[in-house]
Amino acid sequence: NMTSKYFKNQWNSEIFELKAELNNEKKEKRKEAVKKVIAAMTVGKDVSSLFPDVVNCMQTDNLELKKLVYLYLMNYAKSQPDMAIMAVNSFVKDCEDPNPLIRALAVRTMGCIRVDKITEYLCEPLRKCLKDEDPYVRKTAAVCVAKLHDINAQMVEDQGFLDSLRDLIADSNPMVVANAVAALSEISESHPNSNLLDLNPQNINKLLTALNECTEWGQIFILDCLSNYNPKDEREAQSICERVTPRLSHANSAVVLSAVKVLMKFLELLPKDTDYYNTLLKKLSPPLVTLLSGEPEVQYVALRNINLIVQKRPEILKQEIKVFFVKYNDPIYVKLEKLDIMIRLASHANIAQVLAELKEYATEVDVDFVRKAVRAIGRCAIKVEQSAERCVSTLLDLIQTKVNYVVQEAIVVIRDIFRKYPNKYESIIATLCENLDSLDEPDARAAMIWIVGEYAERIDNADELLESFLEGFHDESTQVQLTLLTAIVKLFLKKPSETQELVQQVLSLATQDSDNPDLRDRGYIYWRLLSTDPVTAKEVVLSEKPLISEETDLIEPTLLDELICHIGSLASVYHKPPNAFVEGSHGIHRKHLPIQHGSIDTGESPVSAGPAASIDQPQVIPSQGDLLGDLLNLDLGPPVNVPQGSSMQIGAVDLLGGGLDSLVRRMYREHSFLWFVKVWLPAVKAKGLEISGTFSRRQGHMYMDMSFINKALQHMTDFAIQFNKNSFGVIPTTPLAMHTPLMPSQSIDISLPLNTIGPVMKMDPLNNLQVAVKNNIDVFYFSTLIPLSVFFVEDGKMERQVFLATWKDIPNENELQYQIKECHLNADTVSGKLQNNNIYTIAKRNVEGQDMLYQSLKLTNGIWILAELRIQPGNPNYTVNARSKEIDRLQNAFDIVQNIFKDILHP
Amino acid sequence: MIGGLFIYNHKGEVLISRVYRDDIGRNAVDAFRVNVIHARQQVRSPVTNIARTSFFHVKRSNIWLAAVTKQNVNAAMVFEFLYKMCDVMTAYFGKISEENIKNNFVLIYELLDEILDFGYPQNSETGALKTFITQQGIKGQHQTKEEQSQITSQVTGQIGWRREGIKYRRNELFLDVLESVNLLMSPQGQVLSAHVSGRVVMKSYLSGMPECKFGMNDKIVIDKQGKGGTTDEPGKSGKQSIAIDDCTFHQCVRLSKFDSERSISFIPPDGEYELMRYRTTKDIILPFRVIPLVREVGRTKLEVKVVIKSNFKPSLLAQKIEVRIPTPLNTSGVQVICMKGKAKYKASENAIVWKIKRMAGMKESQISAEIELLPTNDKKKWARPPISMNFEVPFAPSGLKVRYLKVFESKLNYSDHDVIKWVRYIGRSGIYETRC
């Protein structure tokens, strides 16, 4: 390649010329040459071959030239370590220079040269500089310790530099103090447990004094450091707050935000509802508002932080919604953030204004912004009931604009509104249906399909509409396919006569022609439900939906608390903990809000982070939903809240899939009778650990089937489980087999084998089981009812003769009679169902047109229960007579047995 | 902390590159160029994370300044530092442009070495920096030992923004109260939102290390004095005080003193600087009222009439008045009649722009326009953007008054009376809109 060769040659000759100029006798020429070298270096040209020539220029009394040479050295010393040694002498000499500016320059530059041999020579000069008479040298030396620590941490410790640095906290010069604090803070991040900073009340006092006197940057270092301190009591917390509050008037936004961080943290320690507490809260609002008049980049940082602050303490800014109204000229990133905060602050008091604004925004140019504005209108409807009607009509206006993405976004939010206010706005369905053809985004298609399915009975041509989607079934996204499947099943259950073909078609598309396991599984569930038990199918598919939450996109409370500790920093901008974006040892140490000591008002466990926090704060919507709810709804993309964006929340989506999957697996496993999985231990009560489960009996053994889900942000290990004494002597056969740590957002399914050889103690109710689960965080307790059917043993079929004799033997007082209502099964089905649950039919007779079933069952503790079932033709109510010898031992067990019959036959 | 600092031109060519931390490599320079400067999409955030490296950027004309880090730094501090760096560069060589940066690259490297050490921002006050970083680069040699330690004590001292030994023959100071008044009004004349954001900018040419005290008609101060019974005319001053929502100060102001006594005392930097910023929302004097009347005549014609009324003392004059009346996109022609000033339909801006050079207080003026529309089948209704206004008035719409600025310099022989003081009030329109 001729050209590149030419340039190469040309560059070589340039280097040659530079070399000559660097060795010119005239000082000015040499300086010009070094400048050219630096210019070449800046644009990325390799000038390392000039190293000896540049270093030769170092011995000069021209400060500007010296600085240029140093700049060169910092860049290339690492690649030329041997030659870099040539510079050492000059550095050592400069460190003794009478001019403090030159001493500081030498020690500053030496620390930037990451060559071991040079570092060795640095120690002595640095030691002197740390004790230099001139504060300018000392403040530079303080930073140099941090540099050296980055190169060779061990050496810094061995040489005692950390102690020298600590001594500088008491320095008379505020800037020296500030730099020492900055250096120590950074070093201590890589030694989270060492008490390097030694924050005691005396040192805190020194820092607070320096705070009033040092530069704006120094104030930031000190405030950031103060925020890591845990005051010993509320008095100390208050006195620090008093001295930090004046910083809220600083012109530098970083000083303000760092002060806000200290105050937000220490507020946790102050007794609520005292005058001081309330005054402090009031003082926080104006400076936060003022941040929004800064430059756009700072506004952005401020808004991301305000987003956290309004979630943690909504009272601070609740009066200030107007300042978050979007200005026409705001950069898009400011607009989007403001919109987020507007929705959070929207309330009955300001909804009219908010809506007027949102309506304006929906006509802007930026697509993302417009979509978000439309979404926001939907959120308002859901959040403020009084505004719902106005929101809906606004949305309808927007749909009339026929702007494609506006229409789609509006339909998605209208689905949520329908869910929140059932039977209120369905009159607009016709208008929505007009736009069916224009929908090309999966979210909008799915929303529309959901609406058609949900209100199939009111839409005359619902079958046609849904059928039209079916044509391109395999080209649709999974979300749309799943929703369509559910919608058609709903339609079928509502209008069975006309839609049989349609449902057949979709079931076969889902189960036979699809590679998607989720879709197939859901298809099979419906198929099985519809073919075996349409009544149940109706109950499951058309069941009442769980209410949808008012708040969305809330940050999970433990993460929120952690982010509050990082106000002003990148973590607060990303809304992620530092370890999500920082490599290595920095930022691994997690921060927590301080905990009120010796509080009078709470009997709560201290870890619930912040007294009464759980009450004040809106509950985070469990994005996983409770599994039961999801089963009933069976819409994979629940309209409740779709976690957006951050990878942190993506885990939650996976979990949802996992939850449904494991549920499906369990449904197949338990052919006999499905006890719906229940949440036994909600995450809020167990520091992020959620346990849901069910009991089952398989091949003669009892199992406790559990899902452990980690909703905290730390991993969990060392799990163990224990039962309290109980009526049936149930104990685990083996210890809990969880050998790997449970990572955040992960779930593990465990089947714990049980037996009944443990100690017995009668519980009330009889089938109550108290469980203790331990992990590395704490011990948690919950209690649950074991379905009695798992105690029914396989050899519960009594001999016919024995049955007759026993039945007669049992006195009439020991008999219980009750009815099972609305049961439409025939005797054989009943018999089969019962047998699946180890309740055996001993004999069946037909007496005067009615079927008589004689049943027996045996509990694990040897108790027999006998029953007679009477089924009259045309009467959906069955009569059951149950008898047991051990009535005294059973007592209220009959009630339970009664329920079991009901449940099995009539789930 | 900050790991590196890059300056690029609009093409993405690097003009300055200074790396402070070992974890930032040369590839970071390219990553920012490729992912941000050359990105097709408009910038969606001033903070970008690329491969676990965070980039903070600001733009000045067509120059990009980017700070890079791999740590969880104080994000607000990084931006404040970038702004400060722009200020420093402007103070040294004027406008931030490619040419100026190229011509001053040695100076910029020298500054970057001084104001950022291992990524920690250090004293970046121009007043202090100029004492030892000069474009001549020779000062170091000719300084006496005394001068040297004076420099270092200033750079690290409590009063880092001012050097000792400043002398003026004439001690003089200028105070500018600059306010921007923002309004959003409904067509019926109801104020939807209004606020004033103000700045007090000071130019001080004072000898020595003067101690200054600034007083204004802050309601809190006046009320306090009123209670003490020290005011000469309690009734009058009480009425004229204003409620300040919030204010921030230049770092020279003793904040703890403001917090406890609400007094503003400081040793000012030399030359021009911004003493304080403030915000008010109560009892704002709205210099102009806009009364719009829009009538749709059929589907192809609009009749617009706008009256503006000036609402201040008749002796005062407003200047640079401009009223912008938006027109629909399908406007085909406009006929305008105005009593005063000049009005023009600007098709490219979809607006009628009405300009009036001067207007006294308590006057009114009117414009009428007939707008012809092309028939369209666009179903989307015209959104009727608000009518906006620009102006400049010689008073502070917040009502802020400077009560005093006292200067004390005990070591030199000049007193407060010898200082010549000038105060000027300028009120400008911020976003001043009336919906129609």
Side-chain angles (χ1 to χ4, degrees), chain B residues 299 375-380:
Chain B
R299 294 195 55 201
T376 58
N377 40 15
D378 194 2
K379 280 176 196 149
K380 199 174 162 184

Side-chain angles (χ1 to χ4, degrees), chain B residues 46-76:
Chain B
V47 186
T48 319
N49 192 306
I50 307 162
R52 292 199 154 222
T53 309
S54 299
F55 295 81
F56 298 74
H57 76 264
V58 300
K59 257 187 107 176
R60 287 294 177 271
S61 61
N62 54 11
I63 297 294
W64 299 74
L65 290 93
V68 200
T69 183
K70 285 211 159 186
Q71 298 181 21
N72 180 32
V73 295
N74 187 316

Side-chain angles (χ1 to χ4, degrees), chain A residues 481-483 485-486 507 510-511 517-527 633-637 660 664 668:
Chain A
Q481 290 175 330
L482 288 168
T483 317
L485 171 61
T486 304
L507 285 175
T511 55
D518 288 341
L519 189 61
R520 278 208 311 269
D521 281 354
R522 193 186 285 195
Y524 279 124
I525 295 175
Y526 284 146
W527 207 319
N633 175 27
L634 280 176
D635 277 335
L636 232 186
L660 195 61
V664 171
Y668 286 128

Side-chain angles (χ1 to χ4, degrees), chain B residues 71-310:
Chain B
Q71 298 181 21
N72 180 32
V73 295
N74 187 316
M77 182 187 79
V78 176
F79 282 123
E80 288 286 351
F81 177 78
L82 288 173
Y83 301 150
K84 191 60 142 215
M85 207 182 116
C86 294
D87 292 348
V88 171
M89 290 197 290
T90 313
Y92 267 94
F93 53 75
K95 195 173 170 265
I96 296 176
S97 64
E98 182 169 355
E99 198 189 352
N100 279 345
I101 288 172
K102 279 183 169 165
N103 290 338
N104 290 284
F105 83 96
V106 173
L107 171 73
I108 295 173
Y109 277 123
E110 202 178 338
L111 286 169
L112 282 177
D113 200 41
E114 186 58 44
I115 60 178
L116 209 51
D117 190 5
F118 199 44
Y120 298 115
Q122 303 291 304
N123 192 338
S124 42
E125 287 302 312
T126 328
L129 290 171
K130 279 193 169 168
T131 59
F132 68 108
I133 294 178
T134 60
Q135 278 166 296
Q136 287 75 42
I138 39 164
K139 230 178 172 174
Q141 287 91 58
H142 306 298
Q143 285 158 347
T144 62
K145 189 151 195 251
E146 216 167 69
E147 280 171 338
Q148 286 164 3
S149 77
Q150 212 176 60
I151 291 171
T152 58
S153 82
Q154 196 208 329
V155 176
T156 61
Q158 293 182 24
I159 310 158
W161 52 87
R162 188 182 180 92
R163 66 189 167 90
E164 300 243 12
I166 296 172
K167 281 204 182 76
Y168 287 102
R169 224 153 30 128
R170 199 158 91 135
N171 286 298
E172 201 170 12
L173 64 84
F174 301 84
L175 270 179
D176 281 347
V177 176
L178 307 170
E179 295 196 338
S180 118
V181 52
N182 298 278
L183 168 76
L184 184 63
M185 192 174 257
S186 76
Q188 292 75 32
Q190 186 195 1
V191 176
L192 297 174
S193 75
H195 77 271
V196 166
S197 56
R199 306 187 298 143
V200 178
V201 174
M202 184 170 169
K203 270 180 240 163
S204 75
Y205 305 104
L206 301 169
S207 310
M209 295 299 256
E211 180 71 47
C212 297
K213 215 173 159 189
F214 174 69
M216 53 190 181
N217 57 342
D218 175 3
K219 191 167 189 301
I220 296 178
V221 177
I222 304 276
D223 286 358
K224 225 196 262 171
Q225 288 173 348
K227 265 178 212 156
T230 47
T231 7
D232 30 5
E233 294 163 278
K236 196 182 164 197
S237 58
K239 211 190 275 170
Q240 289 186 344
S241 65
I242 63 160
I244 292 174
D245 287 21
D246 187 40
C247 46
T248 59
F249 296 99
H250 185 268
Q251 61 168 322
C252 67
V253 175
R254 293 182 189 88
L255 296 179
S256 41
K257 216 159 178 188
F258 179 74
D259 194 57
S260 57
E261 303 162 23
R262 219 165 159 95
S263 75
I264 302 163
S265 61
F266 53 97
I267 296 172
D270 192 41
E272 182 171 343
Y273 74 103
E274 187 178 288
L275 176 67
M276 72 176 283
R277 277 175 188 236
Y278 57 91
R279 183 164 44 84
T280 73
T281 44
K282 288 199 188 73
D283 303 324
I284 292 168
I285 306 158
L286 296 169
F288 284 96
R289 165 98 203 268
V290 176
I291 305 152
L293 196 74
V294 179
R295 214 162 66 90
E296 290 177 31
V297 187
R299 294 195 55 201
T300 57
K301 199 167 150 190
L302 277 180
E303 279 180 10
V304 180
K305 198 173 106 178
V306 176
V307 179
I308 57 168
K309 284 185 178 170
S310 59

Side-chain angles (χ1 to χ4, degrees), chain A residues 42 61 67 78 134 136 139 147 179 186 217 249 251 253 290 297 322 333 366 368 568 570-571 574, chain B residues 15 21-22 44 54 72-73 75 80 83-84 109-110 114 117 120 122 124 141 152 192 246 248-249:
Chain A
T42 298
D61 50 0
K67 284 180 176 174
K78 224 171 145 188
D134 194 296
Y136 184 77
K139 72 111 185 159
K147 292 177 184 167
N179 276 3
E186 186 172 344
W217 316 116
S249 302
S253 66
T290 298
E297 293 85 5
K322 277 188 187 175
Y333 51 79
D366 189 281
D368 283 352
L570 262 182
Y574 292 147
Chain B
L15 306 176
R21 297 275 176 141
D22 204 35
R44 301 306 270 194
S54 299
N72 180 32
V73 295
E80 288 286 351
Y83 301 150
K84 191 60 142 215
Y109 277 123
E110 202 178 338
E114 186 58 44
D117 190 5
Y120 298 115
Q122 303 291 304
S124 42
Q141 287 91 58
T152 58
L192 297 174
D246 187 40
T248 59
F249 296 99

